[in-house]
Amino acid sequence: MIKIAKFGGSSVASAEQFKKVKGIVESDPDRKFVVVSASGKRFSGDNKITDLLLLVNAHITYGVDCTSLLGDIEARYQDIVDELGLKWPLAEKFEAFRKNIKKHSPEYVVSRGEWFTANLMAEYLAMPFVDAADVVVFHHDGSVDMERTAARLKDVMVRKGSFVLPGFYGATVDGQIKLFQRGGGDITGAILARCVDANLYENWTDVSGFLSADPRVVDHPRSIRRITFDEMRELSYMGASVLQEEAIFPVREVNIPIQIKNTNRPADEGTIIRENAEAGEDEHLITGIAGKKDFVSVHIKKAHMSNEVGLVRKTLAIFERYGVSVEHIPTGVDSFGVVVNHDDVRDSIYSIVSDIRKEIAPDDITMVDKLALLSVVGRNMSKRSGTSGKIFGALGEAGINIRMITQSSQEISIIMGVNNEDFDRAIKVIYDRFVRDEVIEPNEK
């Protein structure tokens, strides 16, 4: 069995965290391939190494001396070296980095956080170090060349048997360093899992998997032991994420499950993410509840709308013209709404409404702001009759007005719009009624 163990920034933030990683890796011989992020925050108020390197780039761009800043970064790594008794020549390597820093691209500079961390971790784990620039191949447009990457990773896998790989970056065939988006170490781990045909992709972080609701809203929400990729996507879209969203695609396409685990509490079960629920598992009605505040809904009404070809497309083209991403489009027979993030239309909403009046000529157009969206997600909701009605009834009993309702085509989520001020209370009502005291049923598949 092959397990890919990816450790996030909080898991490699200090020598003490390095020790936890070593204990986890050595506890399972299947963990032969390790991916690490750059050292993260050691405590509240601390800085992530990646953020410090971004600041270094800013100093260089504006001609500000960054000697002190680089000294702080080196000191972070020196503390790890000293406490763990490592022999890797940090001072020599960092001096070379410092001396030539203005010759390198900003992406190269930022990538050094992962590079230094992985080199130290490789020595500590007594594993070979493999530079991501040598195996993760980018096209010049920023996409990954999966064919070349797979060939290189399989080759180094055969030659070395095990290794530590820095996440977040790779390189083009001519050696130009390229970065993934922030949180890209998760993507590196997923690509590695896919390319070496892993059985499991473990993502180690500082939480014990997904929670069924935001702990800032609900006290001690239930942990989600198992979740499908579709459910995770629905919850992540609404902000309930402990995993970089793009990291699911490389492994999902080849049906490799992901397990979210807590470096600080490795005995916790965590969350398994897979394509489908396994037969025999206990099944909850609702997997999780998530949401966001501050949306705007533009509601357009026009008689015989269904007979007018292209009306919705023309409306959406107006939003596109202003560079606004559309979140949801609830529809009726002679009306439809366009829901967008308030920040995206802060400076353009009245111009958009004016253009809609001119180009669409609606009978009526209204705007609802300070709208919150909450998504109730569960693969089993469609199997149990009356679920939607019970949810709406519970909110009605609590005096919460539902401003909008839409359901995913897969019938695994119900999205409701409520007023911002009702957001927290709506989540608590649904959680208390349908999650906290729920009696789970067996999966009969």
Side-chain angles (χ1 to χ4, degrees):
M1 185 171 183
I2 299 174
K3 293 180 180 178
I4 304 303
K6 187 270 173 180
F7 294 91
S10 62
S11 300
V12 294
S14 65
E16 187 62 32
Q17 294 300 97
F18 267 53
K19 294 175 184 178
K20 294 176 183 177
V21 169
K22 186 173 186 177
I24 290 167
V25 173
E26 292 184 346
S27 70
D28 189 339
D30 293 331
R31 295 181 180 124
K32 296 178 181 178
F33 305 101
V34 175
V35 178
V36 297
S37 295
S39 296
K41 293 183 179 183
R42 297 160 294 182
F43 47 81
S44 178
D46 194 20
N47 293 302
K48 299 178 180 179
I49 291 294
T50 298
D51 289 337
L52 295 177
L53 289 169
L54 287 167
L55 191 56
V56 166
N57 273 333
H59 279 49
I60 293 171
T61 299
Y62 293 103
V64 179
D65 182 71
C66 59
T67 302
S68 176
L69 192 54
L70 288 169
D72 291 341
I73 296 170
E74 182 179 10
R76 285 280 301 274
Y77 287 119
Q78 190 63 55
D79 286 345
I80 294 173
V81 167
D82 291 344
E83 186 169 339
L84 300 180
L86 302 180
K87 304 300 182 182
W88 193 71
L90 173 66
E92 175 187 332
K93 299 292 185 181
F94 205 91
E95 178 57 30
F97 171 58
R98 178 189 287 109
K99 183 178 180 180
N100 297 299
I101 195 166
K102 293 184 180 179
K103 299 179 182 178
H104 294 300
S105 70
E107 289 186 297
Y108 178 93
V109 172
V110 174
S111 74
R112 295 307 89 181
E114 277 74 12
W115 188 83
F116 280 110
T117 304
N119 270 287
L120 298 182
M121 184 62 75
E123 180 188 341
Y124 189 53
L125 296 179
M127 287 183 176
F129 166 81
V130 173
D131 193 346
D134 296 330
V135 291
V136 179
V137 184
F138 277 86
H139 295 294
H140 284 280
D141 65 1
S143 62
V144 176
D145 185 333
M146 290 299 296
E147 186 175 347
R148 287 183 175 175
T149 297
R152 294 187 182 190
L153 282 170
K154 287 179 179 177
D155 175 67
V156 77
M157 173 189 176
V158 171
R159 288 189 291 106
K160 296 184 180 294
S162 65
F163 54 79
V164 175
L165 180 73
F168 189 37
Y169 73 93
T172 59
V173 290
D174 58 2
Q176 180 184 352
I177 294 293
K178 288 282 189 179
L179 302 179
F180 291 106
Q181 56 189 292
R182 286 299 293 267
D186 292 344
I187 303 175
T188 303
I191 290 172
L192 175 60
R194 175 183 178 137
C195 290
V196 303
D197 300 318
N199 303 96
L200 180 66
Y201 172 31
E202 294 180 332
N203 193 285
W204 292 84
T205 180
D206 55 2
V207 295
S208 297
F210 279 86
L211 297 175
S212 53
D214 189 335
R216 295 169 297 184
V217 177
V218 173
D219 292 334
H220 309 296
R222 183 193 72 210
S223 295
I224 301 173
R225 294 188 297 121
R226 288 169 177 79
I227 188 172
T228 65
F229 284 116
D230 285 332
E231 290 174 305
M232 194 211 77
R233 285 276 291 162
E234 293 283 345
L235 290 171
S236 295
Y237 181 74
M238 283 296 185
S241 180
V242 294
L243 178 71
Q244 218 291 339
E245 204 171 338
E246 293 300 313
I248 73 170
F249 295 109
V251 291
R252 181 177 188 176
E253 291 171 352
V254 290
N255 201 27
I256 297 172
I258 303 173
Q259 187 167 27
I260 309 297
K261 296 278 285 182
N262 190 340
T263 303
N264 303 313
R265 300 181 60 173
D268 288 0
E269 184 177 5
T271 300
I272 281 280
I273 311 166
R274 63 174 78 247
E275 187 64 33
N276 298 297
E278 291 186 328
E281 290 180 358
D282 291 332
E283 293 285 86
H284 292 281
L285 173 63
I286 291 175
T287 302
I289 310 165
K292 297 178 183 177
K293 295 181 180 179
D294 297 321
F295 290 90
V296 174
S297 177
V298 179
H299 185 75
I300 297 159
K301 183 177 181 181
K302 190 170 186 179
H304 308 296
M305 183 185 79
S306 59
N307 297 326
E308 187 171 338
V309 176
L311 184 67
V312 174
R313 177 188 58 78
K314 293 175 185 176
T315 303
L316 297 182
I318 295 171
F319 284 90
E320 182 181 5
R321 184 188 309 156
Y322 286 88
V324 177
S325 176
V326 174
E327 304 285 339
H328 295 283
I329 312 173
T331 61
V333 176
D334 289 323
S335 66
F336 65 98
V338 180
V339 181
V340 297
N341 192 297
H342 175 267
D343 288 343
D344 292 345
V345 294
R346 185 189 303 274
D347 301 319
S348 60
I349 185 60
Y350 293 108
S351 296
I352 290 172
V353 170
S354 177
D355 287 357
I356 291 173
R357 290 187 188 279
K358 293 176 185 176
E359 299 175 33
I360 307 302
D363 296 332
D364 187 39
I365 181 168
T366 56
M367 185 174 67
V368 177
D369 63 357
K370 298 181 180 179
L371 184 70
L373 299 183
L374 60 94
S375 181
V376 181
V377 177
R379 57 185 175 269
N380 294 301
M381 291 193 299
S382 63
K383 303 174 187 176
R384 304 188 196 176
S385 61
T387 297
S388 298
K390 291 174 184 177
I391 292 172
F392 303 150
L395 293 176
E397 291 171 12
I400 297 171
N401 185 26
I402 302 175
R403 309 296 301 273
M404 182 200 85
I405 300 169
T406 184
Q407 188 171 26
S408 70
S409 58
Q410 295 173 305
E411 298 186 82
I412 63 168
S413 71
I414 301 169
I415 297 173
M416 292 163 284
V418 299
N419 294 325
N420 270 352
E421 61 265 28
D422 290 329
F423 177 70
D424 287 5
R425 194 159 59 93
I427 289 179
K428 290 177 181 177
V429 166
I430 296 171
Y431 187 89
D432 289 341
R433 181 71 66 88
F434 300 98
V435 181
R436 191 180 298 281
D437 300 320
E438 179 191 19
V439 177
I440 57 177
E441 299 180 7
N443 183 352
E444 298 178 353
K445 292 198 305 181

